[in-house]
Amino acid sequence: MTNLKAILGPTNTGKTHYAIERMLGHGTGMIGLPLRLLAREVYDRVVAARGYPHAALITGEERIVPPTARYFICTVESMPADLRPDFLAIDEIQLAEDEDRGHIFTDRILNMRGNHETLLLGADTMRDILKSLKLGAETQPRERFSELRYSGHTKITKLPKRTAVVGFSAEEVYAIAELLRRKKGGAAVVMGALSPRTRNAQVAMYQSGEVDYIVATDAIGMGLNLDVERVVFASRSKFDGRRHRPLTLAECGQIAGRAGRFRTDGEFGETGNCPPFQEEEWKAIEQHRFDSVDALQWRSSDLDFTSLRTLIRSLEKPSGNPVLIHNPHALDEWILRRMSEDGGIGPNVSGERKVRRLWDLARLPDFRKLGPEGHGRLVLGLADTLADPDARLSDAGLERRMDDLASTQGDIAKLQQRLAAIRTWTYAAHRPDWLENPGYWQQKTREIEDSLSDALHEALTARFVDRRTTALLASLKKEDALVTELTPEGDVTVEGHLVGRLKGLTFEPVLDNRTLEGKAVRGAAMAAIRPLLSQRLTEISGAASDAFKLTEAAEIEFKDAPVARLLKGASWIAPRLELVGALEMDAGERAPALTRMEEWLKGEIARVLPVHAKLASGDASEKLEGMARGLAFRILESGAAVDLRTDDPPLRVTAEQREALKAAGIRAGRVAVHVPDAQKPAAQRVIAILKAAASGQDYPLAPEGAGSFALDGTWPEEALAANGYLRFGRRAVRADLAERLGWEIAKRRKDAGKNAFAIAIDLASMVSCPADDWPGVLKGFGLAPAEKDKDTGAVTLWRYGARSRPEEGQQSARPPRGERPQGNRPNRQSPDRPQGKGPRGDGRRPEGRGDRGPQRGGGRPGQHSGPPPRKAIDPNSPFAALASLLPPPKPPKPPRPNKPKQPREPKSEAAPATDGAFVYKPFQ
């Protein structure tokens, strides 16, 4: 008769160790364990004690069964029911109350026995229910080897070494591990979803002392043997697959009990936002007093495989015992019912082989944690192929799936997803009746799982363990000089560990300077890279011109990294420079590099902007006199163009002055003075960079090579002038093209021989202007509609408009509405607005003003003491004869309510002066 014993007690009582020793004392034995991780650990111990040929490992995803195996280490679900060894043990039997797995544990407790000895291992909460089941088990209580004490709340940054922090989701575990990496140098990570290979590698780091902290889920509470002195809870609730619920006190005790090993006392407490344990709670955990288990999950093991219907009915059969309850929501039963409802499978399946095949498929574990719906889709998809007991998954189909899963690239989440997926196919590979070539796929899936496990371990270590900190700090204690290396990519290593990157003259550490370790490592790294910085400064001071590059960020790059930035100087074309980085070096070591870059920048400006460079140095401006010199100064100030239409009175540029400006690289014309070289894309870019550095604001760039472009609110007059463009209505027109277009318009007027003349739309192509914007461009040349088509309203003839020339003390422009003083009319600008600008202060006229025609010389009654004096007519002008058509000036009249309108004055046109100058009179 078998000897049945229940070894009950809290954690750290040596129950599992006792069971292994008892098993090895028998000729054959089997032990069922709650986790694959724990099964692998026990298997390794048995192999070490009895040798590989005598130990077998059987789990859902692993099956190592030598022909001579005598000791079988299994997960509870995988315990072979057809074996009857001399010794049998079932660990963590309190899991029989778990809603998902409990019925498996209950079945093993009730039905599996060893020939000579059977041990049931678990918590003392199972004592009463084992008695009520009348199994005839002898109960042996065991006392904890060490004491467990409550330590209260502790900040994560204050946790002592050899502490395990427990969270209940991957996100929480990762967040805690990341914080410990920054504050404490690193932590190992243990979760139930990890493969045994990854888990063992992580635990090995902790056990060896490479890291002093471990962050884990509640998987740590199931028999994992670690040298942990304190367990702290980061939270006390978890999602169990159906709902988010608080942990029971017994579950908290199971986890807290991992603190302390053998005779070493342990502590437990909370950290982070975890609510504190109440006094009655922590005292119960200290004394291991928990509510007894009052019911176990159960499912009939007497199943009827005659048909799918009879199988479902047999699964639903009650136990007849009030303490053995059936959970109708078990995942495998739910999927089986879905199969019966599926049209492709149907409820009428019969025959033991077919029904057993569907039941085996329904029991495929949800390794990917997709939930019932997601996992159900996977199983039903497999059932489409494997419903026939003679069907097999093809090698070709599995090969395609394995190719997708074999990659070790990606982050932690992707690697974990692939590991979970490969576990499904590892499980399938150990079902020889599912595959064409199961032996091959068992080896293949194992290789993929191992490679993914190693990659995941490396990814976890790289993210949550800062090996540089420990290794580098240890090396600082040495008296020898640190070995520093700089890769061509700029990576800086000290004693073989990456500490940062040298970009230009700036060292970017990989550690957070706010942590103690980060500060220490940065100090050591900076001491180590000082020779590298000195070498880099020497390279810059002797570098060739093609080694530097001016960037849009107003910086100078050397080896694709910024080493200097432009600052405001004496003028926009003469900026100052300051080094970017190398702050740790002495001023004497920095000066040669800065001088070399100042020389390069000056030469670069002279190369791209030769006219400006000569004007700034005085080489060109000294040869100019009077108005020509003033225009050169304005060009140097604006960038690329000066709009002459804003000058009041209009400038008279003589032929001699125009030639002098041309010799200096400047063109003066009807509407603008401009520098052709400055309107090239490279020059526009440099001007924009220099202007931005001088003003501290971004300067927009005109579209490359555009004859004109549409304007929006981001284009102030200064930016247009810097790019070499003038505003014409809703478009900006390049200054040189505007000049050409102006001469073409004048030619059309001359050919017409009269004031009203036609302008063909073909001219719009000269400045790349669309038809809709063409009238606005013409009005910018002082033109106004002279005749329109009666049917379409399109302008058929244009004419030049006249502008009244202001005399001394009197202006012709109208102040903004609401600001018109009595008496003599002031200038169009307000007192705080600079001369030469429109009422908006940006050189533009108010919207719609260009369509009103010329302004009358007089204003409203009572606002002037008299009409403005008429400008004398040049007797040498070919149009002097038109003066006889002007009416004689009338004396001022007193104001009256309904004053009749004055007749319009005849409109004059722009005419060449006798001295060869061209006076441009824009239309207002």
Side-chain angles (χ1 to χ4, degrees), residues 303-630:
L303 302 180
D304 186 350
F305 292 99
T306 304
S307 68
L308 199 54
R309 294 178 186 273
T310 60
L311 175 59
I312 293 174
R313 283 198 297 268
S314 63
L315 287 168
E316 295 172 344
K317 184 167 56 178
S319 68
N321 189 327
V323 301
L324 300 177
I325 59 177
H326 176 253
N327 175 22
H329 305 295
L331 181 60
D332 50 6
E333 290 187 45
W334 184 88
I335 290 178
L336 192 68
R337 294 187 187 96
R338 284 292 305 274
M339 288 180 175
S340 70
E341 298 166 359
D342 186 87
I345 301 172
N348 299 319
V349 177
S350 61
E352 183 174 351
R353 290 185 68 225
K354 291 184 179 180
V355 175
R356 282 188 180 275
R357 168 58 67 89
L358 293 180
W359 179 230
D360 289 342
L361 288 168
R363 288 186 295 166
L364 175 68
D366 183 14
F367 294 111
R368 298 183 297 171
K369 303 301 179 186
L370 298 176
E373 291 292 341
H375 185 60
R377 285 192 294 271
L378 171 66
V379 175
L380 290 177
L382 288 174
D384 287 341
T385 303
L386 296 175
D388 185 340
D390 295 323
R392 300 291 185 269
L393 295 175
S394 69
D395 288 346
L398 282 174
E399 193 70 53
R400 289 193 298 270
R401 294 178 183 272
M402 295 306 107
D403 288 342
D404 294 337
L405 298 176
S407 173
T408 58
Q409 302 301 312
D411 56 16
I412 291 174
K414 289 188 178 297
L415 291 172
Q416 283 188 313
Q417 290 171 2
R418 294 191 192 114
L419 261 177
I422 198 63
R423 290 177 69 184
T424 299
W425 301 111
T426 303
Y427 180 95
H430 286 90
R431 299 301 307 247
D433 57 334
W434 288 11
L435 279 67
E436 291 179 351
N437 191 358
Y440 169 79
W441 291 113
Q442 289 170 14
Q443 179 68 25
K444 181 72 172 180
T445 54
R446 178 61 184 271
E447 291 174 356
I448 294 175
E449 181 176 329
D450 286 349
S451 64
L452 289 172
S453 298
D454 293 341
L456 180 57
H457 168 64
E458 293 174 3
L460 290 170
T461 303
R463 179 171 173 184
F464 301 124
V465 179
D466 196 344
R467 286 174 164 168
R468 295 177 298 271
T469 302
T470 304
L472 187 56
L473 289 176
S475 67
L476 292 177
K477 300 176 182 178
K478 302 177 183 179
E479 295 183 359
D480 301 336
L482 298 178
V483 178
T484 306
E485 295 181 355
L486 177 66
T487 68
E489 294 77 22
D491 291 338
V492 179
T493 60
V494 177
E495 297 291 327
H497 295 278
L498 179 66
V499 296
R501 170 167 287 191
L502 188 62
K503 291 185 176 181
L505 298 171
T506 303
F507 175 69
E508 298 179 354
V510 295
L511 296 178
D512 190 340
N513 293 339
R514 293 171 293 183
T515 66
L516 178 61
E517 293 85 354
K519 292 178 181 178
V521 171
R522 178 177 172 81
M526 292 310 302
I529 69 166
R530 191 178 180 87
L532 301 179
L533 284 173
S534 179
Q535 179 183 353
R536 181 64 55 83
L537 287 169
T538 301
E539 289 180 31
I540 292 173
S541 63
S545 295
D546 59 2
F548 301 106
K549 182 172 66 175
L550 181 63
T551 71
E552 281 72 11
E555 294 176 333
I556 296 177
E557 283 188 353
F558 177 77
K559 292 186 176 180
D560 297 325
V563 291
R565 66 172 59 92
L566 280 62
L567 301 176
K568 184 178 181 180
S571 65
W572 67 268
I573 202 170
R576 292 189 299 111
L577 279 185
E578 72 171 6
L579 290 184
V580 175
L583 299 177
E584 300 79 8
M585 308 302 290
D586 297 334
E589 296 176 279
R590 293 158 52 92
L594 184 61
T595 300
R596 173 66 186 103
M597 285 186 285
E598 289 173 341
E599 293 173 351
W600 174 83
L601 179 61
K602 186 176 181 180
E604 182 70 3
I605 293 174
R607 181 182 70 82
V608 181
L609 302 173
V611 173
H612 293 75
K614 292 177 182 178
L615 291 174
S617 66
D619 293 344
S621 58
E622 289 179 355
K623 300 176 182 179
L624 300 174
E625 297 180 353
M627 182 186 296
R629 189 168 187 173

Side-chain angles (χ1 to χ4, degrees), residues 807-815 819-829 857-860 862-869 892:
E807 301 293 342
E808 184 179 355
Q810 186 173 341
Q811 305 294 332
S812 64
R814 177 182 297 176
E819 300 179 12
R820 300 172 184 170
Q822 299 295 322
N824 291 339
R825 297 174 61 121
N827 189 353
R828 193 180 292 266
Q829 291 89 359
R860 290 180 295 180
Q863 285 192 298
H864 292 278
S865 58

Side-chain angles (χ1 to χ4, degrees), residues 677-689:
D677 287 346
Q679 294 172 267
K680 298 176 181 178
Q684 290 173 332
R685 173 182 174 273
V686 170
I687 292 174
I689 293 172

